[in-house]
Amino acid sequence: MAIERVRRLSIQVRHLILQYAAALLSTVRIQRVLEKTHNIKTSRQAIRKFLDRFKRSGSVTDLPKRRRNGNITNFHRQMMNLWLSKNCELTSRALRDKIMAVFGLKLSSSCVSKIRRKLGWTTQRVHIWAGISYRGRTDCCVFTGIMDSITYQQILERNFLPFVARKFPDGYRLYQDNDSKHKSKSTKAWMTEKNMLNNVMECPASSPDINVIENVWASMKYYLESTVKPKLKEELVNGIKQFWENLSAEQCARYIDHIHRVLPVVVLNDGGPSEF
């Protein structure tokens, strides 16, 4: 007589297991009875799992699997794509919170991250160094990784010094913020060697409002988000270069002259933000 090996318990077998369990048979005894009496071979583990599941649910049939990430639809994916097209820097966590706030749909960050990647949106990060003046813009340096003092000095050597030698043979002033790599002993020593240190303007602490380059970065970000909409790192870098190459000396002057609107407000606010 052939013995049937079952991998998934049928409804009939489940009812037999419940009958023997009601008669206080152990899982070992139930396994033996099923094999000897009904020619059904199954594992003790399968029997135990079914009995545990029955105790929790009270159902012989399998309950539908709970959707861990709600009922995500193509409409939700389209909305995520729309939000990302407006702001490509939205993180998976920010998207998750936005979906919850707008649709009441609870998703995990990992689920949103997978959808984000399938839509073609990947988080691309690069760093930029550049400067503006009344006589135009410097070259734009785009790089990845961490900028330390040595890297900063190399960027100045390759991008800033040739620019001022060409555009400002009559002298210049360099405005930079108080970033540690700008103020380090190594950088100060290098600037002294290059006869730069006396040309560096002192910057008040925590004062982005009076750093004219911040408005340039804001305009660049808007251009990237509204026009370029990069999905690949190459597209991001090309978009940055396009924006920078189209920046004229007249535009640079307008960014610089904006400081004349900001400074009086900063003074009135006792050094506080101008909201410009």
Side-chain angles (χ1 to χ4, degrees), residues 1 20 72 101 106 131 197 208 226 251 271:
M1 182 179 294
Y20 294 129
I72 186 78
K106 188 174 183 180
L197 195 58
S226 62
Q251 289 173 307

Side-chain angles (χ1 to χ4, degrees), residues 237-251:
V237 172
N238 288 338
I240 291 169
K241 291 180 178 179
Q242 288 168 9
F243 173 87
W244 198 253
E245 288 169 2
N246 290 325
L247 191 63
S248 66
E250 291 75 17
Q251 289 173 307

Side-chain angles (χ1 to χ4, degrees), residues 2 4 7 22 48 54 58 78 104 130 133 160 163 166 168 180 190 215 227 259 263 265:
E4 180 186 1
R7 294 185 177 180
R48 190 179 301 111
F54 180 79
Q78 290 169 5
S133 75
F160 177 73
F163 173 78
R166 185 172 67 252
F168 292 91
S180 58
W190 180 85
N215 285 335
T227 303
I259 197 69
L263 283 176
V265 179

